[in-house]
Amino acid sequence: MDKLLLIFSTLFGLLIGSFLNALIYRLPLGINIAYPRSACPKCKHVIAWYENIPVLSFIYLRGKCSECHTKISILYPIVELVTAIFAFAIAPRSIGPTALFNFLFFLSVFCAFLVHFIVDLKHQILPDSVTIYLGLMFFVIGLIIRPWTFWAIGGSIGLGFPLLVSWIFYLLRGQVGLGGGDIKLFAVLGLYLGPMGIIQNIFLSCLLGAVVGVVLIASKAIKKENPIPFGPFILIVASFQIFAEKWFSDLLIYIP
Ligand SMILES: [Zn+2]
């Protein structure tokens, strides 16, 4: 692949990562994503353009606000770097007449996953706006490249199966098991993964969640009463299914 194009894709990833940081901060607080301009949450110092350059500004500011020296989370440069690395990795795989389209599609899915992942860990919510964005993309792609039965059945299983399990759980225990955000995410993923893919996702994310939950509780890292956000497990499994499709299908051989 053209080196210049690869550099451009990576820089584009850095910029998008910087935008994702704004989304991660603003979406859960319900702040408009375009206005007002970013400011230090403590002293309200408006962040100048040269303090907002991906990764470099964090190093230059030594991870502190230039006015009040409040620490800036290391998560900011990490989100920028991770997005850039993804763009770098996906760019050479986007070839052929639909290269640009493929690149933008996979990058947008990754970005939506990353925002969901971090927001769910921090606030235990999966913002509806991100799920709707994913749903629209998956629906349009489904219309173009799949028979309607694939996405329609996939989406119905993604919505219906977790809903049924939650309802049974509620009848038995009087508690709500899965969150509404998790169920909506399953439904939307079903549109893209199809019937088999979404069943695999539900099964594997529950398995992964259970294993990690048991380990965290046994190692006393968290208390039994503390809820563990479930979204990250769904997103980890879906990432393998979507971005490492071949690797994922090889792995399935080992799962009974
Ligand atoms: Zn400040």
Side-chain angles (χ1 to χ4, degrees), residues 144-170:
I144 300 171
I145 64 168
R146 305 279 197 193
W148 73 272
T149 43
F150 182 88
W151 52 261
I153 298 174
S156 308
I157 294 174
L159 179 69
F161 186 64
L163 210 55
L164 183 73
V165 172
S166 291
W167 183 62
I168 294 170
F169 193 77
Y170 181 77

Side-chain angles (χ1 to χ4, degrees), residues 40 42-45 65 67-70:
C40 167
K42 186 119 183 256
C43 71
K44 308 293 174 223
H45 159 67
C65 167
E67 279 295 308
C68 70
H69 306 288
T70 300

